[in-house]
Structure formats: structure tokens, C-alpha cells
């Protein structure tokens, strides 16, 4: 199988260009009921103080920072004040994004955390007057709602590598760390997510800086950004966003490591995409992770409204399979070439095949393609099968076996070869690990991938 894993790297660019991230399933399958803040609230960061959750977002509606409060992560009250009414002396307050554009002053992606009972720090991105690039500043307050008083100088400013944006905080063993992105996509450079220890008050960087990951997968486009670090058991899970924020190609993904400073191994497929939510969330990204009042983890993130005029905030349950995150309502993709198969073969493919490799030759009574899938809870799930059927006789099918029990068929209308389409049906799965096996059915068809929702 080594050759086919190499093939995914070589051919995946073709798949992306052919529209891998566009919707291929009906919106009725999504379980995202809607945003929890249905107004502009991009790049959300959430902090809990006592029983109250505080959310902070990128500049909008004349405010440098927007903020909201909740007790359950579902019902939110957007506050009218600006918790950061003044910016640091280093900030060019006349600059807008894009230059000369309306409204966006470039005050992006705030991160707020407590350093004591009445001591709070905000990291924020803004435009540096001296370098002409985005940099990260710090401000302090005695209450979560501010007003936060900015420091006169920037905390992270690296114009030689495009600037710095998207600060986030991680603590372990009494030490605090800052993660951020060098904004290299502004200037045809790589974008690295970086980590460095900071002082206990969060106002000074100390020690060495470590680059963690950069853009190198087709679904990431020219950038990675918006780091969020979470520890699950003994594994560090680095969530991030990628691709262009301004349309449905924006995605969230993750990478894992046994060590804080890496190396990190990226997931093969993104965690959240427009397609994963069947088009009901557009360009999901800017994510943060928080534990809810019920003790369960949740992921908060933004997504565009239907006409792409603002980014609303969503809040979804986050389950885990070991160190693998599973977002409620988001389809999980399993590539056919990564399944176990006998009397079948993998090949390079065109026509928008996911990762550019598919499995065919499922033509014999003992042919099998067996996917091992994981779900957090027992129940009925939607199974999406990406297939191509070029049989001269028309309709085709594969037999289905779920956890060793016959489960009917996956049925495929005629598409022609290398024309990858999706067929849907329900399957009953148990909590944890399941197997879904495809065998020879009527006529002939090839498998590209399956999605579980």
C-alpha cells in the first residue's frame, strides 16, 4: 500500500482543483440547527470565569473587539460595549483591511485568559505602524468585560516573515505558552504555526520559539492559521484552520503529537468543511475548544451566512475516539485506498476523486473492501458512498456487511467511469469501532471514499 499513499500526495491537487470541498450531499443530512450567535462574530475565543462563559471576536460593528456572555454555550447575549476601546501606541489606527476597504480595521482574533482572580490578559492582532504588517499586542483588565488597557509595544512582531496573527494560549505544569501564525501568505512565504513560552503574566515572551506545522496539504491552500492546542490524555491535539477564509473553501483540521513541541502529524482529511456539514455551515474555521457545563467538550467556530455577508458563531459537541476529535453533525471521511481490501485494487483517478486514488476491481465473489470506522455513540448513522459506475448494463451495486452482518446493498445509478457521485443510506452502528465491508454486487462500480454522519 505504500505506493498508493504516495499517490495521494501526488494526485490530491487534482482532486482539490476539481471541487473536492464543494457539497456532494443533500443538506437534509446535516444536524447543525443553526448558529448560536447569528451576527458577525468571527474567530471566536471562549473563556470561562465562574459559571459564565465569555466569547470574544474579531472587530465588527464599529468595535475593536466584540464580546458576548453565556451560561451554557448555546444561548448568548452579545454585549454593546467594546472591551478594547483603545489600541496600543504601536497600532496604525487609520489602516483598514483590505487597504481602503470599509469597516475592518484589522483588529483580529482576540485571545483572553485569566492570570489571577481580578487579572485578565487579552492578546489581539492589529496593524503595526512601523512595519506595515499585522502584529500581536497585549492588553490587561480587572474584569472579563474590560476595558482592557493596551501595552505600548507589540508582543509579537515579525515583519520579515509576513507579520504575526492569531495568538492563542496554552498552559501546562504551571507554564503558559503562546501559539501564533506568521502571516507569510501576505508575501508569498510559508505560514508556520509557532509556539513559545511566555511569562506568568502573559506579557513577555521567554525561551525559544518552535515552529510546529506549515501548509503542505492540498486542502490547506496557501496557509494554515488559527492554532488551538488541546491535550487529550497524553496526546497534544493542535487544531487549526486553513485555506481562504472568504469563501466555502475554508476548513478546520488538526495534528497530533506525543510532545508539546512536536513533531506533529496531521490528519489525512480535514475535521470540518463546508461539505462535511452538507453546506449548512460555510467555511467553518477560527475554532476554539471549551468544556461545557455538563463536563463535555465543545468546539466553537465561525461560518459564513448564506450570502457570505457575515460570519456567525456555531457551537457543536466535540467527541473523541482516543486522540481523534469527532464533531457532532460533521461527516467523517474514510478513503477507500486506506481500507483493507482483497481481490480488488487501488489506482490513480481523475474526475475529482477524493485524494486522487480509488479502489476498483471489486468484481469477484470474494472481493472485499472493508472500512474500519469509529462513532461516539450507538445508533443510526448516514452512510455516504462516493462511487463511479460505468457499467454498460446501467445500474450497479455492492453488497454491504456491517460488523459481520449482511446489511443490504449500496445502489449506484449509472454515472460513467471517473465521474464520482454520492449515494446515501442509513446504517446501524455500535459505539466505538465498527466495520463496513463492500462486496461484489450487480454489475461493476468503483469506490472513492465513504463518509459517516
Amino acid at each position: 500500500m505504500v505506493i498508493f499513499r504516495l499517490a495521494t500526495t501526488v494526485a490530491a491537487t487534482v482532486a482539490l482543483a476539481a471541487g473536492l470541498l464543494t457539497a456532494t450531499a443533500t443538506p437534509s443530512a446535516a444536524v447543525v440547527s443553526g448558529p448560536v450567535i447569528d451576527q458577525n462574530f468571527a474567530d471566536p475565543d471562549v473563556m470561562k470565569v465562574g459559571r459564565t462563559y465569555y466569547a470574544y471576536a474579531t472587530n465588527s460593528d464599529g468595535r475593536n473587539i466584540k464580546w458576548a456572555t453565556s451560561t451554557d454555550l448555546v444561548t448568548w447575549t452579545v454585549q454593546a460595549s467594546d472591551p478594547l476601546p483603545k489600541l496600543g501606541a504601536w497600532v496604525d489606527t487609520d489602516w483598514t483591511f483590505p487597504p481602503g476597504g470599509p469597516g475592518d480595521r484589522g483588529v483580529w482574533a482576540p485571545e483572553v485568559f485569566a492570570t489571577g482572580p481580578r487579572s485578565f490578559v487579552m492578546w489581539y492582532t492589529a496593524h503595526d505602524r512601523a512595519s506595515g504588517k499585522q502584529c500581536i499586542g497585549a492588553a490587561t483588565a480587572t474584569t472579563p468585560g474590560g476595558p482592557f488597557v493596551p501595552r505600548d509595544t507589540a508582543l509579537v512582531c515579525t515583519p520579515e516573515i509576513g507579520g504575526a496573527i492569531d495568538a492563542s494560549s496554552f498552559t501546562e505544569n504551571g507554564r503558559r505558552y503562546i501559539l501564533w501564525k506568521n502571516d507569510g501568505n501576505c508575501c508569498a512565504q510559508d505560514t508556520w504555526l509557532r509556539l513559545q513560552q511566555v511569562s506568568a503574566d502573559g506579557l513577555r515572551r521567554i525561551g525559544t520559539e518552535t515552529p510546529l506545522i506549515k501548509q503542505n496539504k492540498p486542502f490547506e491552500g496557501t496557509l494554515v492559521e488559527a492554532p488551538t492546542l488541546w491535550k487529550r490524555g497524553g496526546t497534544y491535539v493542535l487544531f487549526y484552520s486553513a485555506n481562504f477564509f472568504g469563501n466555502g473553501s475554508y476548513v478546520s483540521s488538526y495534528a497530533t503529537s506525543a510532545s508539546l513541541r512536536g513533531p506533529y502529524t496531521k490528519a489525512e482529511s480535514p475535521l470540518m468543511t463546508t461539505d462535511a456539514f452538507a453546506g449548512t455551515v460555510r467555511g467553518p474555521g477560527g475554532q476554539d475548544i471549551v468544556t461545557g457545563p455538563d463536563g463535555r467538550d465543545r468546539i466553537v467556530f465561525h461560518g459564513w451566512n448564506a450570502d457570505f455577508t457575515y460570519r456567525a458563531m456555531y457551537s457543536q459537541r466535540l467527541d473523541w475516539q482516543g486522540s481523534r476529535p469527532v464533531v457532532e453533525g460533521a461527516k467523517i471521511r474514510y478513503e477507500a485506498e486506506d481500507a483493507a481490501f482483497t481481490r480488488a485494487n487501488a489506482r490513480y483517478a481523475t474526475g475529482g476523486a477524493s485524494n486522487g486514488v480509488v479502489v476498483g476491481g471489486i468484481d469477484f465473489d470474494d472481493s472485499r473492501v472493508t472500512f474500519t470506522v469509529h462513532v461516539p455513540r450507538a445508533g443510526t448513522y448516514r452512510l455516504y458512498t462516493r462511487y463511479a459506475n460505468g457499467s454498460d448494463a446501467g445500474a450497479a451495486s455492492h453488497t454491504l456487511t456491517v460488523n459481520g452482518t449482511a446489511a443490504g446493498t449500496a445502489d449506484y445509478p449509472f454515472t460513467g467511469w471517473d465521474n464520482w457521485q454520492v449515494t446515501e443510506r442509513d446504517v446501524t452502528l455500535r459505539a466505538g469501532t465498527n466495520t463496513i465491508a463492500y462486496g461484489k454486487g450487480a454489475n461493476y462500480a468503483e469506490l472513492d471514499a465513504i463518509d459517516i454522519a
Side-chain angles (χ1 to χ4, degrees):
M1 287 298 292
V2 174
I3 187 171
F4 301 117
R5 291 186 183 276
L6 291 174
T8 63
T9 302
V10 174
T13 302
V14 176
L16 183 70
L20 171 59
L21 297 179
T22 60
T24 58
T26 58
S28 62
V31 299
V32 179
S33 58
V36 293
I37 298 180
D38 194 12
Q39 56 179 273
N40 209 9
F41 208 87
D43 306 311
D45 167 68
V46 178
M47 170 184 68
K48 187 180 184 183
V49 179
R51 296 184 178 181
T52 302
Y53 293 91
Y54 297 84
Y56 306 86
T58 281
N59 62 191
S60 179
D61 303 327
R63 283 166 273 177
N64 290 322
I65 299 294
K66 289 185 72 170
W67 69 296
T69 56
S70 174
T71 57
D72 60 6
L73 297 174
V74 176
T75 302
W76 290 86
T77 300
V78 178
Q79 305 296 324
S81 63
D82 186 341
L84 185 65
K86 294 183 179 179
L87 303 175
W90 57 275
V91 177
D92 181 358
T93 56
D94 294 326
W95 187 84
T96 59
F97 179 81
D104 188 346
R105 297 175 61 187
V107 187
W108 301 339
E111 169 83 358
V112 180
F113 53 90
T115 58
R118 290 183 55 80
S119 178
F120 301 91
V121 174
M122 175 185 289
W123 293 333
Y124 65 96
T125 298
H127 201 69
D128 178 48
R129 180 182 296 106
S131 68
K133 297 290 191 292
Q134 294 288 90
C135 294
I136 295 167
T140 59
T142 58
T143 65
F148 283 82
V149 178
R151 309 278 287 186
D152 287 339
T153 57
L155 177 65
V156 186
C157 200
T158 54
E160 68 280 3
I161 50 176
I165 70 171
D166 293 353
S168 71
S169 173
F170 178 75
T171 58
E172 184 176 51
N173 298 327
R175 296 179 178 179
R176 186 175 299 277
Y177 301 85
I178 183 172
L179 296 99
W180 77 96
K181 166 207 174 184
N182 76 276
D183 203 26
N185 55 289
C186 80
C187 337
Q189 297 187 44
D190 286 331
T191 58
W192 282 92
L193 302 184
R194 300 167 182 269
L195 178 140
Q196 188 172 3
Q197 189 179 345
V198 295
S199 54
D201 61 8
L203 301 178
R204 181 172 52 90
R205 290 190 291 156
I206 58 178
T208 59
E209 170 190 321
T210 302
L212 303 179
I213 61 171
K214 71 171 185 175
Q215 81 291 342
N216 60 7
K217 284 187 171 292
F219 66 75
E220 294 167 347
T222 61
L223 63 91
V224 293
E225 60 189 16
T228 303
L229 190 58
W230 194 257
K231 194 171 185 182
R232 177 72 178 175
T235 301
Y236 297 89
V237 184
L238 177 60
F239 295 85
Y240 65 96
S241 299
N243 219 307
F244 177 53
F245 81 96
N247 61 30
S249 68
Y250 205 49
V251 302
S252 290
S253 193
Y254 67 97
T256 58
S257 176
S259 171
L260 172 64
R261 295 184 182 271
Y264 282 81
T265 301
K266 291 181 180 178
E268 288 300 317
S269 300
L271 178 66
M272 299 190 296
T273 69
T274 301
D275 176 56
F277 288 119
T280 58
V281 181
R282 303 157 192 87
Q287 72 297 312
D288 195 16
I289 314 299
V290 64
T291 301
D294 59 357
R296 299 180 184 274
D297 293 337
R298 297 189 73 85
I299 184 167
V300 295
F301 55 97
H302 69 236
W304 287 102
N305 66 326
D307 57 2
F308 288 87
T309 55
Y310 64 87
R311 289 173 287 173
M313 188 178 96
Y314 293 81
S315 174
Q316 292 293 105
R317 177 169 165 170
L318 183 67
D319 288 299
W320 297 89
Q321 297 294 336
S323 59
R324 178 178 185 170
V326 178
V327 179
E328 185 176 29
K331 292 185 291 185
I332 306 170
R333 174 153 296 181
Y334 298 88
E335 300 291 345
E337 67 271 18
D338 292 330
F341 49 90
T342 56
R343 289 275 274 176
N345 55 80
R347 70 172 183 89
Y348 293 97
T350 58
S354 177
N355 270 346
V357 181
V358 303
V359 174
I362 313 166
D363 302 338
F364 308 97
D365 289 342
D366 58 347
S367 293
R368 291 290 183 275
V369 180
T370 303
F371 297 84
T372 300
V373 305
H374 304 271
V375 296
R377 296 177 296 280
T380 300
Y381 286 79
R382 198 68 169 171
L383 170 65
Y384 302 81
T385 304
R386 286 177 58 88
Y387 74 96
N389 165 23
S391 300
D392 293 339
S397 67
H398 285 137
T399 62
L400 280 181
T401 304
V402 177
N403 294 325
T405 301
T409 60
D411 300 315
Y412 311 127
F414 178 82
T415 63
W417 297 121
D418 284 328
N419 179 11
W420 305 100
Q421 301 297 323
V422 175
T423 184
E424 307 175 23
R425 54 157 295 168
D426 290 337
V427 292
T428 300
L429 302 176
R430 61 197 179 201
T433 301
N434 298 261
T435 58
I436 301 175
Y438 290 71
K440 174 71 172 73
N443 297 315
Y444 305 100
E446 292 184 322
L447 292 176
D448 178 18
I450 66 171
D451 294 303
I452 302 291

